[in-house]
Amino acid sequence: MRTSADRSAELLEVFRLRSEQRLRKECTGEVATAHEAAPLGPHDDRTQRVLRALRSLPTAGKHIIFSEGPDGPWRVAKIVLSLPGNLLLTQLSFEDYEDAMRSIFTARVAELLQN
């Protein structure tokens, strides 16, 4: 027998799928160009919406920036909940924080478009 919790879960999944579909449509070349030009902002409304949505994706599997010192270098890491420390460091390393931000943006968009 179907319960109200089952229906709520179905509606939440429909909302999630529609939100991801809308986000995929908003990940345009203009957004990528705007982020490439100024990773720290300020950003136009569309770019800010895309960034906010990418940042609010589930934590597991998310790409993040890991600092190896107070002023870098900056490494790209991925949150993997089954590993010790829940962190998998990649080989990508950057001397400039903004370059690391560009790499994270590209990785998150690629992962979004892949799903």
Side-chain angles (χ1 to χ4, degrees):
M1 180 148 143
R2 199 168 114 170
T3 65
S4 62
D6 295 334
R7 180 65 180 147
S8 293
E10 289 172 7
L11 291 173
L12 186 60
E13 182 63 12
V14 168
F15 177 77
R16 185 190 67 76
L17 291 174
R18 287 182 181 170
S19 296
E20 281 186 8
Q21 182 180 24
R22 186 174 55 249
L23 181 58
R24 283 187 196 96
K25 287 180 183 177
E26 288 197 7
C27 286
T28 63
E30 292 174 0
V31 169
T33 301
H35 185 269
E36 179 76 23
L40 293 171
H43 300 291
D44 60 274
D45 185 53
R46 176 182 288 169
T47 304
Q48 190 60 43
R49 278 196 314 264
V50 168
L51 290 172
R52 189 173 29 255
L54 290 174
R55 290 173 183 148
S56 68
L57 291 174
T59 303
K62 186 181 278 187
H63 289 87
I64 61 170
I65 299 173
F66 179 80
S67 174
E68 293 185 321
D71 294 317
W74 313 97
R75 298 254 317 255
V76 174
K78 190 169 185 177
I79 298 174
V80 181
L81 299 179
S82 61
L83 292 177
N86 298 323
L87 195 65
L88 174 66
L89 289 175
T90 67
Q91 297 300 317
L92 296 174
S93 182
F94 301 92
E95 292 299 322
D96 183 34
Y97 184 70
E98 290 185 10
D99 288 340
M101 291 180 71
R102 289 179 183 102
S103 176
I104 294 294
F105 176 80
T106 303
R108 288 183 182 175
V109 169
E111 192 167 298
L112 174 74
L113 296 177
Q114 190 178 47
N115 291 336

